Amino acid sequence: MEHSASAPFIRPAAAQDAGRIAEVLVFNNRLNFFPIFKDEPYSFCEMQVVPLAQRLAEDQDALSRTFVWDDGVLRGFVRLQGREVEKLFVDPCFQGRGVGAALLEFAAARFGADRLWALEANAGARRFYAAHGFTPAGESRFEEGTDQRLLLLRRQA
């Protein structure tokens, strides 16, 4: 079902959303990050929906900074840390329908979100963020415990 990319479907996350948020994270990890990191033990053993959902449901700090697109189906979410987009994920089944764009615009309009870190090797994510005004800020760092670089992207107001 197609919807306009507007904020009426965006609401604060609640503990009962944890299972669906965990599904979105696990599916995105396996589709987008496993090909980059090739870490089978993490992607297929450590990262499991049920334990991740349990941890998320108990993490009141993370939940308080998370907003979900929910029109009867939780399609994606954004988590903020101040003005930084900490996480932005859309269920792969619903990508390309404006959900991620709406979540990103919501974060920018409501919280002044103007920065995020993206994997240099994740060309799809970098294209998405560039289309929404996020450009490399000239700062990078290694993703902890890996040889993959994260790029700081900033959006001018």
Side-chain angles (χ1 to χ4, degrees), residues 63-81:
L63 282 174
S64 72
R65 298 179 289 109
T66 303
F67 298 85
V68 297
W69 172 288
D70 179 3
D71 60 359
V73 174
L74 194 154
R75 297 171 189 265
F77 72 94
V78 63
R79 181 176 302 148
L80 303 165
Q81 180 64 54

Side-chain angles (χ1 to χ4, degrees), residues 73-140:
V73 174
L74 194 154
R75 297 171 189 265
F77 72 94
V78 63
R79 181 176 302 148
L80 303 165
Q81 180 64 54
R83 292 174 54 168
E84 181 177 312
V85 174
E86 187 177 279
K87 294 188 183 300
L88 174 64
F89 290 102
V90 175
D91 185 297
C93 295
F94 302 113
Q95 290 177 0
R97 298 183 183 190
V99 174
L103 287 163
L104 193 56
E105 291 305 318
F106 169 84
R110 181 135 176 225
F111 299 100
D114 63 356
R115 66 186 66 96
L116 58 90
W117 292 89
L119 275 172
E120 184 175 32
N122 190 342
R126 290 181 47 217
R127 276 192 306 275
F128 170 81
Y129 291 124
H132 295 282
F134 285 83
T135 58
E139 189 177 332
S140 68

Side-chain angles (χ1 to χ4, degrees), residues 10-22 52-70 74 76-79:
I10 299 173
R11 63 167 176 78
Q16 61 264 28
D17 299 320
R20 185 70 181 113
I21 291 170
L52 180 57
Q54 290 169 337
R55 287 192 307 272
L56 289 169
E58 295 169 1
D59 190 344
Q60 289 303 309
D61 174 60
L63 282 174
S64 72
R65 298 179 289 109
T66 303
F67 298 85
V68 297
W69 172 288
D70 179 3
L74 194 154
F77 72 94
V78 63
R79 181 176 302 148

